[in-house]
Amino acid sequence: MNHHSFTQHGTRGTADWQRADAAHFLHPFTDPKGLAAKGARIIERAENIYLWDSEGHKILDAMSGLWCVNVGYGQQALVDAATQQLQQLPFYNAFFQTSTPPAIELAELLAEITPPQFQHVFFTGSGSEGNDTVVRMVRRYWDLVGQPERKVIIGRVNGYHGSTMAGASLGGMSGMHAQGGLPIPDITHIEQPHAFENGTGMDREAFGLKAARWLEEKILAIGPGRVAAFIGEPVQGAGGVIVPPASYWPEIQRICDKYGILLVSDEVICGFGRTGHWFGCETLGFKPDLMTFAKGVSSGYVPLGGVMVGGRVAQALIELGGEFNHGFTYSGHPVACAVALANIKLIRELDLVGRVRRTTGPHLAARFAELNDHPLVGETQTCGMMGAVQLVKDKATGESFAGALEVGMLCRAHCFGNGLIMRAVGDRMIVAPPLVMDCAQIDEMMVLIRRCLDLTLVELKQKGLFAS
Ligand code: PXG
């Protein structure tokens, strides 16, 4: 074996990896037959905002892995923190009246950087487990304060809250509900604040208020005394980077306050600087009772998630609660917490949150706005270091392509072919690059994005699918 090789797996080539992958590895959200026919792309190493595949191609990762590598790849401080903790104490649990220094220090630091109502954290291994924790904790809270009939949690159509039974139930993805008998009882949904789809022809801010009031209508239909909580992502991520009108979240807050309902912000994507503040609720202007986090807390270097627990709920759990029969082997995993500590300190050192708010976020916004001159583009949106491009068949009317065409997939194939990773969500092309991406790298990404849009347009015209 060549000891300079980046893998520790000898000299297996792409075809061999693909064969073994297809033979044994069932991938998340993937049609196994389709993947086996094509072969997986094998990613072997990464640095900063770039990946290299097993064919030696360099790829600009405009998705931060999966919305998580906020500090970019190859940060030695995180590697050192993991190595040091692995040597000193690779694991101990937090169940039986024990604790570990990294978990304690991370809890302390999270209390410092989150909004002031948050002084307590419950650790999990992922965002999905965080949202399962939210469901149990919210219902436990209402039991403890003597209103056990408050059980219903309201989420949103096209929201994403993970893949476990509770996470997929809170989310509003119909394809997920169709598999496995979901949603679980007492979870229901309202429409999303997606102006392009649900607010055609309306003033944007007026639409924001209208969309928020769907929550009030739902509460009244269920009966306010039965509603426990509302959960939403500040900006919907997996749903397509759907940035709500500025009027939306403050109105949601007002409605939750009016009926005494707990407000839960799922910060799994928006947290840790993505929107230009530490947390999305700060950018979008609301004050949640609970906050789910994962991904950016450790920049994805190791799995970690959790729930920030606000004063009202924390007080009930602590003062009235006794034992909360909930937790995971890896709640407060010392290596994960050590990496998260190093990650958060690095975000601070590099002032990534301030850079996104003042410099790179506005630059991304300006550069995305320029795409509006492209014949395929119906609208663009950004928030901090997240961006979306809506592809349309008719720019003048905003008419979409027929669903069967999957124009997003056509465009994504051009991205893959041109060294760019961009996500397609239906007809929306989205990016969420590492927060270390600088303005010159944004420009480099924009060259690739425009090239891929041009190539998609050429392909559509050749196939007679784009008239004008
Ligand atoms: N909440 C939100 C808002 C998420 O985006 C989860 C919870 C679940 O986290 P875990 O760690 O359990 O995966 C997520 C995850 C996509 C995509 O295709 C997005 C996620 C996961 C997988 C794919 O955009 N987000």
Side-chain angles (χ1 to χ4, degrees):
M1 190 178 109
N2 171 6
H3 66 268
H4 294 298
S5 161
F6 284 98
T7 73
Q8 292 168 4
H9 311 285
T11 50
R12 299 174 71 167
T14 304
D16 192 30
W17 285 127
Q18 289 175 333
R19 183 200 52 73
D21 181 78
H24 303 293
F25 187 176
L26 288 171
H27 291 245
F29 283 89
T30 301
D31 164 20
K33 262 192 205 157
L35 180 60
K38 227 172 120 222
R41 170 177 265 196
I42 313 297
I43 303 298
E44 287 193 331
R45 66 188 174 94
E47 181 62 34
N48 185 238
I49 63 166
Y50 304 100
L51 306 167
W52 282 266
D53 71 11
S54 55
E55 298 290 283
H57 297 123
K58 182 181 178 184
I59 306 155
L60 192 159
D61 182 10
M63 281 309 298
S64 307
L66 200 50
W67 316 84
C68 54
V69 188
N70 289 13
V71 296
Y73 300 96
Q75 294 287 6
Q76 192 60 36
L78 277 65
V79 177
D80 291 344
T83 307
Q84 200 270 331
Q85 189 59 43
L86 280 164
Q87 284 164 346
Q88 182 161 337
L89 180 71
F91 179 76
Y92 200 72
N93 75 72
F95 275 58
F96 308 116
Q97 314 211 333
T98 55
S99 205
T100 60
I104 298 168
E105 273 192 35
L106 181 59
E108 203 171 40
L109 184 55
L110 287 170
E112 188 187 327
I113 64 169
T114 53
Q117 69 270 31
F118 295 116
Q119 291 301 312
H120 294 87
V121 61
F122 194 101
F123 288 120
T124 70
S126 68
S128 297
E129 287 175 2
N131 284 324
D132 277 52
T133 301
V134 161
V135 171
R136 299 200 65 211
M137 197 179 273
V138 157
R139 291 182 177 161
R140 175 83 181 135
Y141 167 78
W142 287 113
D143 283 347
L144 287 171
V145 299
Q147 296 187 55
E149 58 291 345
R150 286 211 195 234
K151 293 228 168 2
V152 179
I153 304 176
I154 302 170
R156 299 180 300 178
V157 172
N158 203 36
Y160 188 79
H161 300 294
S163 239
T164 50
M165 295 294 278
S169 297
L170 293 171
M173 303 285 182
S174 53
M176 295 179 79
H177 291 173
Q179 297 175 351
L182 302 178
I184 57 172
D186 289 326
I187 291 179
T188 185
H189 304 84
I190 59 171
E191 258 303 336
Q192 55 180 333
H194 190 359
F196 190 80
E197 278 193 4
N198 300 325
T200 330
M202 270 189 89
D203 169 71
R204 191 171 154 82
E205 297 310 320
F207 170 70
L209 293 177
K210 179 180 165 184
R213 286 173 193 155
W214 291 330
L215 174 61
E216 185 156 30
E217 288 165 25
K218 186 61 124 184
I219 292 168
L220 293 173
I222 297 164
R226 291 189 54 225
V227 181
F230 174 74
I231 184 168
E233 305 151 75
V235 173
Q236 286 156 261
V241 182
I242 294 157
V243 186
S247 59
Y248 180 76
W249 276 108
E251 182 66 3
I252 289 282
Q253 171 92 63
R254 187 190 66 76
I255 293 165
C256 287
D257 290 349
K258 179 173 173 189
Y259 297 99
I261 289 161
L262 294 172
L263 178 52
V264 187
S265 184
D266 184 335
E267 299 272 356
V268 168
I269 283 176
C270 291
F272 301 93
R274 174 65 58 197
T275 69
H277 287 89
W278 276 98
F279 294 91
C281 58
E282 298 168 294
T283 304
L284 279 291
F286 64 105
K287 197 171 162 248
D289 296 291
L290 296 165
M291 226 166 56
T292 318
F293 63 86
K295 295 190 190 275
V297 65
S298 57
S299 282
Y301 279 46
V302 289
L304 181 67
V307 180
M308 294 306 300
V309 185
R312 179 176 164 196
V313 177
Q315 201 190 350
L317 286 175
I318 294 163
E319 301 300 331
L320 313 168
E323 188 166 319
F324 181 36
N325 300 317
H326 181 82
F328 305 99
T329 302
Y330 300 136
S331 288
H333 192 292
V335 177
C337 290
V339 171
L341 274 169
N343 176 61
I344 294 168
K345 286 176 184 166
L346 186 61
I347 293 176
R348 270 189 167 167
E349 250 170 62
L350 301 174
D351 187 24
L352 291 183
V353 184
R355 264 178 59 185
V356 171
R357 183 168 65 249
R358 289 187 298 269
T359 313
T360 51
H363 189 65
L364 186 78
R367 297 301 322 266
F368 259 62
E370 290 172 14
L371 293 174
N372 283 309
D373 68 3
H374 196 277
L376 265 180
V377 174
E379 75 156 1
T380 61
Q381 277 194 322
T382 68
C383 179
M385 287 297 268
M386 282 191 269
V389 180
Q390 181 87 33
L391 307 181
V392 289
K393 186 173 179 185
D394 188 329
K395 209 178 163 64
T397 63
E399 187 197 344
S400 321
F401 288 96
L405 175 62
E406 297 200 334
V407 67
M409 288 300 162
L410 295 184
C411 184
R412 196 183 71 168
H414 289 297
C415 295
F416 272 168
N418 285 274
L420 172 67
I421 290 189
M422 220 176 159
R423 267 273 273 115
V425 180
D427 294 354
R428 244 169 132 78
M429 300 305 298
I430 63 183
V431 297
L435 309 186
V436 291
M437 179 182 262
D438 62 25
C439 289
Q441 289 174 321
I442 290 174
D443 294 342
E444 179 187 325
M445 174 177 75
M446 296 314 296
V447 170
L448 294 174
I449 291 175
R450 192 171 278 276
R451 180 182 304 156
C452 295
L453 291 173
D454 289 344
L455 289 168
T456 306
L457 183 62
V458 168
E459 184 182 353
L460 288 168
K461 282 182 174 167
Q462 278 169 354
K463 291 180 172 166
L465 296 167
F466 196 86
S468 49

